[in-house]
Amino acid sequence: MLTNYTISVFTTNTVGLLNRITIIFTRRRVNIESLTVSETERKGVSRFTIVIKHENREFVEKLVRQIRKVTDVLAVFGYLDDEIVFNEIGLFKIATPLGGLPVDVKSINLDWNAKIVHFGLDYVVVEKNGSEEEIQEFYTYLKKWEILEYVKSGRVAVGKTEKGLVEFLPEEGNWEIV
């Protein structure tokens, strides 16, 4: 059975590092389901959040150990879904032509916990935050209107541990808070 694994990789902000990390997955023929890279609360430190599906935990642990060996990688952690708090964001551009089915703003806001972030002359843009499943259910709900565009972010996640990033960074860095 395939299991979701979220791998958090903390790195220095270095050109070419994304390629060096993703090649580890490519060589092992592992598909990356989602990849998000962002700054952290520490200047010069980036966080890669990588989601993969695999049936073998030992294989994923080996993958994490391989990533740790990459130069400029500061720390790597692998998580199961119940060990993290995570979210994704979906943006939907929905047609609202004159004479068409009006968008149910109340239902979108209250029932789906989504919000309209832009009103155009003949379209609206709706934002929905949540799990991949919640965003997919919302997508299904929105099919009664014409969906002009749809885009979904990768997962963003933090561990449920009490420690923060600073606890895992090497001592030699001058890790200034941004």
Side-chain angles (χ1 to χ4, degrees), residues 19-51:
N19 185 51
R20 287 188 283 155
I21 290 172
T22 57
I23 199 73
I24 292 170
F25 295 88
T26 305
R27 286 183 183 149
R28 287 158 184 79
R29 304 189 56 79
V30 175
N31 186 48
I32 294 175
E33 301 291 326
S34 125
L35 170 66
T36 306
V37 182
S38 67
E39 296 178 305
T40 66
E41 69 277 10
R42 301 294 173 179
K43 186 175 185 176
V45 178
S46 295
R47 179 185 194 133
F48 292 66
T49 304
I50 304 167
V51 179

mmCIF file of all heavy atoms in Angstrom, residues 19-51:
data_model
loop_
_atom_site.group_PDB
_atom_site.id
_atom_site.type_symbol
_atom_site.label_atom_id
_atom_site.label_comp_id
_atom_site.label_asym_id
_atom_site.label_seq_id
_atom_site.Cartn_x
_atom_site.Cartn_y
_atom_site.Cartn_z
ATOM 1 N N ASN A 19 18.424 20.947 -8.232
ATOM 2 C CA ASN A 19 18.786 19.861 -9.152
ATOM 3 C C ASN A 19 19.492 18.733 -8.419
ATOM 4 O O ASN A 19 19.194 17.559 -8.649
ATOM 5 C CB ASN A 19 19.664 20.402 -10.282
ATOM 6 C CG ASN A 19 19.965 19.350 -11.306
ATOM 7 O OD1 ASN A 19 19.071 18.681 -11.811
ATOM 8 N ND2 ASN A 19 21.247 19.184 -11.608
ATOM 9 N N ARG A 20 20.429 19.060 -7.536
ATOM 10 C CA ARG A 20 21.170 18.024 -6.819
ATOM 11 C C ARG A 20 20.266 17.198 -5.909
ATOM 12 O O ARG A 20 20.502 16.014 -5.710
ATOM 13 C CB ARG A 20 22.315 18.642 -6.011
ATOM 14 C CG ARG A 20 23.451 19.099 -6.920
ATOM 15 C CD ARG A 20 24.646 19.535 -6.140
ATOM 16 N NE ARG A 20 24.375 20.868 -5.600
ATOM 17 C CZ ARG A 20 24.959 21.373 -4.523
ATOM 18 N NH1 ARG A 20 25.839 20.671 -3.860
ATOM 19 N NH2 ARG A 20 24.659 22.583 -4.113
ATOM 20 N N ILE A 21 19.209 17.831 -5.368
ATOM 21 C CA ILE A 21 18.284 17.091 -4.501
ATOM 22 C C ILE A 21 17.324 16.251 -5.339
ATOM 23 O O ILE A 21 17.114 15.068 -5.061
ATOM 24 C CB ILE A 21 17.532 18.061 -3.569
ATOM 25 C CG1 ILE A 21 18.514 18.634 -2.539
ATOM 26 C CG2 ILE A 21 16.377 17.349 -2.878
ATOM 27 C CD1 ILE A 21 17.954 19.738 -1.684
ATOM 28 N N THR A 22 16.750 16.837 -6.378
ATOM 29 C CA THR A 22 15.758 16.090 -7.162
ATOM 30 C C THR A 22 16.377 14.938 -7.944
ATOM 31 O O THR A 22 15.703 13.943 -8.218
ATOM 32 C CB THR A 22 14.979 17.013 -8.123
ATOM 33 O OG1 THR A 22 15.900 17.691 -8.981
ATOM 34 C CG2 THR A 22 14.135 18.004 -7.347
ATOM 35 N N ILE A 23 17.667 15.017 -8.282
ATOM 36 C CA ILE A 23 18.309 13.922 -9.012
ATOM 37 C C ILE A 23 18.359 12.655 -8.158
ATOM 38 O O ILE A 23 18.339 11.537 -8.688
ATOM 39 C CB ILE A 23 19.720 14.329 -9.519
ATOM 40 C CG1 ILE A 23 20.191 13.407 -10.647
ATOM 41 C CG2 ILE A 23 20.742 14.338 -8.394
ATOM 42 C CD1 ILE A 23 19.495 13.646 -11.947
ATOM 43 N N ILE A 24 18.366 12.812 -6.851
ATOM 44 C CA ILE A 24 18.344 11.646 -5.953
ATOM 45 C C ILE A 24 17.050 10.856 -6.157
ATOM 46 O O ILE A 24 17.056 9.623 -6.183
ATOM 47 C CB ILE A 24 18.505 12.093 -4.479
ATOM 48 C CG1 ILE A 24 19.920 12.652 -4.267
ATOM 49 C CG2 ILE A 24 18.218 10.950 -3.518
ATOM 50 C CD1 ILE A 24 20.130 13.333 -2.939
ATOM 51 N N PHE A 25 15.946 11.569 -6.349
ATOM 52 C CA PHE A 25 14.657 10.910 -6.592
ATOM 53 C C PHE A 25 14.617 10.306 -7.998
ATOM 54 O O PHE A 25 14.152 9.186 -8.192
ATOM 55 C CB PHE A 25 13.508 11.903 -6.404
ATOM 56 C CG PHE A 25 13.389 12.402 -4.999
ATOM 57 C CD1 PHE A 25 14.101 13.503 -4.567
ATOM 58 C CD2 PHE A 25 12.550 11.765 -4.098
ATOM 59 C CE1 PHE A 25 13.999 13.962 -3.266
ATOM 60 C CE2 PHE A 25 12.434 12.213 -2.794
ATOM 61 C CZ PHE A 25 13.160 13.309 -2.375
ATOM 62 N N THR A 26 15.126 11.054 -8.966
ATOM 63 C CA THR A 26 15.109 10.598 -10.360
ATOM 64 C C THR A 26 15.909 9.310 -10.522
ATOM 65 O O THR A 26 15.447 8.370 -11.171
ATOM 66 C CB THR A 26 15.691 11.692 -11.285
ATOM 67 O OG1 THR A 26 14.973 12.898 -11.077
ATOM 68 C CG2 THR A 26 15.607 11.286 -12.738
ATOM 69 N N ARG A 27 17.068 9.249 -9.931
ATOM 70 C CA ARG A 27 17.920 8.054 -10.051
ATOM 71 C C ARG A 27 17.249 6.821 -9.464
ATOM 72 O O ARG A 27 17.521 5.711 -9.900
ATOM 73 C CB ARG A 27 19.254 8.289 -9.355
ATOM 74 C CG ARG A 27 20.170 9.205 -10.112
ATOM 75 C CD ARG A 27 21.503 9.329 -9.413
ATOM 76 N NE ARG A 27 22.348 10.295 -10.131
ATOM 77 C CZ ARG A 27 23.250 11.049 -9.533
ATOM 78 N NH1 ARG A 27 23.439 10.976 -8.232
ATOM 79 N NH2 ARG A 27 23.973 11.880 -10.241
ATOM 80 N N ARG A 28 16.407 7.020 -8.475
ATOM 81 C CA ARG A 28 15.726 5.888 -7.834
ATOM 82 C C ARG A 28 14.316 5.673 -8.387
ATOM 83 O O ARG A 28 13.552 4.897 -7.857
ATOM 84 C CB ARG A 28 15.679 6.122 -6.327
ATOM 85 C CG ARG A 28 17.052 5.935 -5.711
ATOM 86 C CD ARG A 28 17.194 6.652 -4.390
ATOM 87 N NE ARG A 28 18.559 6.527 -3.889
ATOM 88 C CZ ARG A 28 19.583 7.251 -4.317
ATOM 89 N NH1 ARG A 28 19.439 8.137 -5.275
ATOM 90 N NH2 ARG A 28 20.785 7.085 -3.795
ATOM 91 N N ARG A 29 13.995 6.425 -9.434
ATOM 92 C CA ARG A 29 12.704 6.318 -10.119
ATOM 93 C C ARG A 29 11.528 6.549 -9.161
ATOM 94 O O ARG A 29 10.534 5.833 -9.174
ATOM 95 C CB ARG A 29 12.582 4.977 -10.835
ATOM 96 C CG ARG A 29 13.725 4.748 -11.823
ATOM 97 C CD ARG A 29 13.584 3.560 -12.718
ATOM 98 N NE ARG A 29 12.376 3.505 -13.502
ATOM 99 C CZ ARG A 29 12.135 4.183 -14.627
ATOM 100 N NH1 ARG A 29 13.028 5.009 -15.082
ATOM 101 N NH2 ARG A 29 11.006 4.032 -15.283
ATOM 102 N N VAL A 30 11.679 7.585 -8.326
ATOM 103 C CA VAL A 30 10.623 7.979 -7.388
ATOM 104 C C VAL A 30 10.000 9.271 -7.901
ATOM 105 O O VAL A 30 10.716 10.255 -8.141
ATOM 106 C CB VAL A 30 11.193 8.192 -5.962
ATOM 107 C CG1 VAL A 30 10.122 8.720 -5.024
ATOM 108 C CG2 VAL A 30 11.779 6.897 -5.430
ATOM 109 N N ASN A 31 8.686 9.263 -8.061
ATOM 110 C CA ASN A 31 7.981 10.448 -8.526
ATOM 111 C C ASN A 31 7.745 11.401 -7.356
ATOM 112 O O ASN A 31 7.285 10.993 -6.289
ATOM 113 C CB ASN A 31 6.641 10.053 -9.150
ATOM 114 C CG ASN A 31 5.949 11.238 -9.764
ATOM 115 O OD1 ASN A 31 6.554 12.012 -10.500
ATOM 116 N ND2 ASN A 31 4.678 11.401 -9.463
ATOM 117 N N ILE A 32 8.053 12.662 -7.565
ATOM 118 C CA ILE A 32 7.759 13.689 -6.561
ATOM 119 C C ILE A 32 6.328 14.153 -6.812
ATOM 120 O O ILE A 32 6.016 14.672 -7.872
ATOM 121 C CB ILE A 32 8.758 14.855 -6.650
ATOM 122 C CG1 ILE A 32 10.161 14.381 -6.269
ATOM 123 C CG2 ILE A 32 8.312 16.017 -5.752
ATOM 124 C CD1 ILE A 32 11.241 15.427 -6.449
ATOM 125 N N GLU A 33 5.458 13.948 -5.831
ATOM 126 C CA GLU A 33 4.050 14.341 -5.942
ATOM 127 C C GLU A 33 3.882 15.845 -5.814
ATOM 128 O O GLU A 33 3.033 16.440 -6.460
ATOM 129 C CB GLU A 33 3.210 13.636 -4.863
ATOM 130 C CG GLU A 33 3.253 12.123 -4.917
ATOM 131 C CD GLU A 33 2.558 11.559 -6.131
ATOM 132 O OE1 GLU A 33 1.556 12.135 -6.580
ATOM 133 O OE2 GLU A 33 3.033 10.523 -6.646
ATOM 134 N N SER A 34 4.676 16.447 -4.933
ATOM 135 C CA SER A 34 4.605 17.895 -4.727
ATOM 136 C C SER A 34 5.947 18.374 -4.194
ATOM 137 O O SER A 34 6.636 17.656 -3.476
ATOM 138 C CB SER A 34 3.439 18.212 -3.795
ATOM 139 O OG SER A 34 3.778 18.936 -2.686
ATOM 140 N N LEU A 35 6.310 19.594 -4.598
ATOM 141 C CA LEU A 35 7.577 20.184 -4.184
ATOM 142 C C LEU A 35 7.354 21.669 -3.957
ATOM 143 O O LEU A 35 6.864 22.374 -4.841
ATOM 144 C CB LEU A 35 8.633 19.978 -5.273
ATOM 145 C CG LEU A 35 9.954 20.730 -5.126
ATOM 146 C CD1 LEU A 35 10.724 20.242 -3.908
ATOM 147 C CD2 LEU A 35 10.802 20.570 -6.376
ATOM 148 N N THR A 36 7.691 22.120 -2.773
ATOM 149 C CA THR A 36 7.584 23.531 -2.432
ATOM 150 C C THR A 36 8.910 23.969 -1.830
ATOM 151 O O THR A 36 9.472 23.266 -0.995
ATOM 152 C CB THR A 36 6.457 23.769 -1.404
ATOM 153 O OG1 THR A 36 5.257 23.205 -1.895
ATOM 154 C CG2 THR A 36 6.248 25.235 -1.135
ATOM 155 N N VAL A 37 9.412 25.111 -2.269
ATOM 156 C CA VAL A 37 10.651 25.654 -1.726
ATOM 157 C C VAL A 37 10.358 27.069 -1.249
ATOM 158 O O VAL A 37 9.712 27.847 -1.944
ATOM 159 C CB VAL A 37 11.775 25.686 -2.782
ATOM 160 C CG1 VAL A 37 13.069 26.207 -2.175
ATOM 161 C CG2 VAL A 37 11.980 24.314 -3.400
ATOM 162 N N SER A 38 10.821 27.389 -0.044
ATOM 163 C CA SER A 38 10.589 28.734 0.476
ATOM 164 C C SER A 38 11.689 29.124 1.455
ATOM 165 O O SER A 38 12.467 28.288 1.902
ATOM 166 C CB SER A 38 9.226 28.809 1.173
ATOM 167 O OG SER A 38 9.241 28.004 2.337
ATOM 168 N N GLU A 39 11.699 30.405 1.772
ATOM 169 C CA GLU A 39 12.586 30.909 2.816
ATOM 170 C C GLU A 39 12.088 30.399 4.160
ATOM 171 O O GLU A 39 10.933 30.009 4.300
ATOM 172 C CB GLU A 39 12.541 32.431 2.861
ATOM 173 C CG GLU A 39 13.041 33.129 1.631
ATOM 174 C CD GLU A 39 12.908 34.634 1.772
ATOM 175 O OE1 GLU A 39 11.784 35.099 2.054
ATOM 176 O OE2 GLU A 39 13.911 35.321 1.602
ATOM 177 N N THR A 40 12.946 30.438 5.138
ATOM 178 C CA THR A 40 12.548 30.121 6.512
ATOM 179 C C THR A 40 12.695 31.384 7.357
ATOM 180 O O THR A 40 13.020 32.455 6.841
ATOM 181 C CB THR A 40 13.444 29.006 7.093
ATOM 182 O OG1 THR A 40 14.777 29.520 7.217
ATOM 183 C CG2 THR A 40 13.425 27.770 6.223
ATOM 184 N N GLU A 41 12.495 31.213 8.636
ATOM 185 C CA GLU A 41 12.651 32.350 9.547
ATOM 186 C C GLU A 41 14.114 32.708 9.772
ATOM 187 O O GLU A 41 14.426 33.703 10.426
ATOM 188 C CB GLU A 41 11.952 32.065 10.884
ATOM 189 C CG GLU A 41 12.599 31.005 11.739
ATOM 190 C CD GLU A 41 12.217 29.578 11.365
ATOM 191 O OE1 GLU A 41 11.585 29.350 10.316
ATOM 192 O OE2 GLU A 41 12.567 28.680 12.146
ATOM 193 N N ARG A 42 15.036 31.921 9.220
ATOM 194 C CA ARG A 42 16.473 32.182 9.339
ATOM 195 C C ARG A 42 17.033 32.675 8.011
ATOM 196 O O ARG A 42 16.826 32.044 6.970
ATOM 197 C CB ARG A 42 17.228 30.920 9.765
ATOM 198 C CG ARG A 42 16.772 30.366 11.086
ATOM 199 C CD ARG A 42 17.108 31.317 12.196
ATOM 200 N NE ARG A 42 16.514 30.849 13.438
ATOM 201 C CZ ARG A 42 16.646 31.460 14.580
ATOM 202 N NH1 ARG A 42 17.339 32.566 14.648
ATOM 203 N NH2 ARG A 42 16.071 30.998 15.658
ATOM 204 N N LYS A 43 17.744 33.779 8.045
ATOM 205 C CA LYS A 43 18.316 34.371 6.833
ATOM 206 C C LYS A 43 19.290 33.379 6.186
ATOM 207 O O LYS A 43 20.150 32.818 6.852
ATOM 208 C CB LYS A 43 19.037 35.669 7.183
ATOM 209 C CG LYS A 43 19.543 36.416 5.984
ATOM 210 C CD LYS A 43 20.132 37.747 6.372
ATOM 211 C CE LYS A 43 20.509 38.519 5.123
ATOM 212 N NZ LYS A 43 20.981 39.840 5.460
ATOM 213 N N GLY A 44 19.132 33.170 4.878
ATOM 214 C CA GLY A 44 20.036 32.298 4.140
ATOM 215 C C GLY A 44 19.681 30.824 4.187
ATOM 216 O O GLY A 44 20.395 30.002 3.622
ATOM 217 N N VAL A 45 18.592 30.475 4.868
ATOM 218 C CA VAL A 45 18.177 29.072 4.975
ATOM 219 C C VAL A 45 16.864 28.880 4.227
ATOM 220 O O VAL A 45 15.904 29.613 4.439
ATOM 221 C CB VAL A 45 18.004 28.643 6.452
ATOM 222 C CG1 VAL A 45 17.525 27.192 6.543
ATOM 223 C CG2 VAL A 45 19.302 28.822 7.225
ATOM 224 N N SER A 46 16.853 27.898 3.333
ATOM 225 C CA SER A 46 15.643 27.559 2.576
ATOM 226 C C SER A 46 15.094 26.223 3.059
ATOM 227 O O SER A 46 15.834 25.402 3.588
ATOM 228 C CB SER A 46 15.958 27.457 1.082
ATOM 229 O OG SER A 46 16.356 28.704 0.580
ATOM 230 N N ARG A 47 13.808 26.028 2.809
ATOM 231 C CA ARG A 47 13.150 24.775 3.199
ATOM 232 C C ARG A 47 12.489 24.175 1.961
ATOM 233 O O ARG A 47 11.684 24.815 1.303
ATOM 234 C CB ARG A 47 12.097 25.036 4.258
ATOM 235 C CG ARG A 47 11.366 23.804 4.689
ATOM 236 C CD ARG A 47 10.241 24.180 5.670
ATOM 237 N NE ARG A 47 9.757 23.007 6.336
ATOM 238 C CZ ARG A 47 9.560 22.913 7.638
ATOM 239 N NH1 ARG A 47 9.789 23.953 8.409
ATOM 240 N NH2 ARG A 47 9.115 21.812 8.162
ATOM 241 N N PHE A 48 12.850 22.950 1.644
ATOM 242 C CA PHE A 48 12.209 22.172 0.597
ATOM 243 C C PHE A 48 11.196 21.269 1.281
ATOM 244 O O PHE A 48 11.551 20.557 2.225
ATOM 245 C CB PHE A 48 13.217 21.273 -0.120
ATOM 246 C CG PHE A 48 14.237 21.993 -0.953
ATOM 247 C CD1 PHE A 48 15.200 22.812 -0.385
ATOM 248 C CD2 PHE A 48 14.251 21.812 -2.324
ATOM 249 C CE1 PHE A 48 16.146 23.446 -1.154
ATOM 250 C CE2 PHE A 48 15.207 22.445 -3.109
ATOM 251 C CZ PHE A 48 16.151 23.268 -2.527
ATOM 252 N N THR A 49 9.961 21.281 0.833
ATOM 253 C CA THR A 49 8.949 20.350 1.331
ATOM 254 C C THR A 49 8.588 19.457 0.152
ATOM 255 O O THR A 49 8.004 19.915 -0.827
ATOM 256 C CB THR A 49 7.714 21.091 1.865
ATOM 257 O OG1 THR A 49 8.140 22.020 2.872
ATOM 258 C CG2 THR A 49 6.708 20.126 2.461
ATOM 259 N N ILE A 50 8.970 18.186 0.263
ATOM 260 C CA ILE A 50 8.822 17.235 -0.832
ATOM 261 C C ILE A 50 7.867 16.134 -0.390
ATOM 262 O O ILE A 50 8.055 15.550 0.679
ATOM 263 C CB ILE A 50 10.185 16.626 -1.215
ATOM 264 C CG1 ILE A 50 11.185 17.733 -1.558
ATOM 265 C CG2 ILE A 50 10.029 15.627 -2.360
ATOM 266 C CD1 ILE A 50 12.628 17.272 -1.638
ATOM 267 N N VAL A 51 6.849 15.866 -1.214
ATOM 268 C CA VAL A 51 5.896 14.796 -0.913
ATOM 269 C C VAL A 51 6.080 13.693 -1.941
ATOM 270 O O VAL A 51 6.097 13.950 -3.149
ATOM 271 C CB VAL A 51 4.437 15.301 -0.943
ATOM 272 C CG1 VAL A 51 3.466 14.173 -0.657
ATOM 273 C CG2 VAL A 51 4.243 16.433 0.063
#
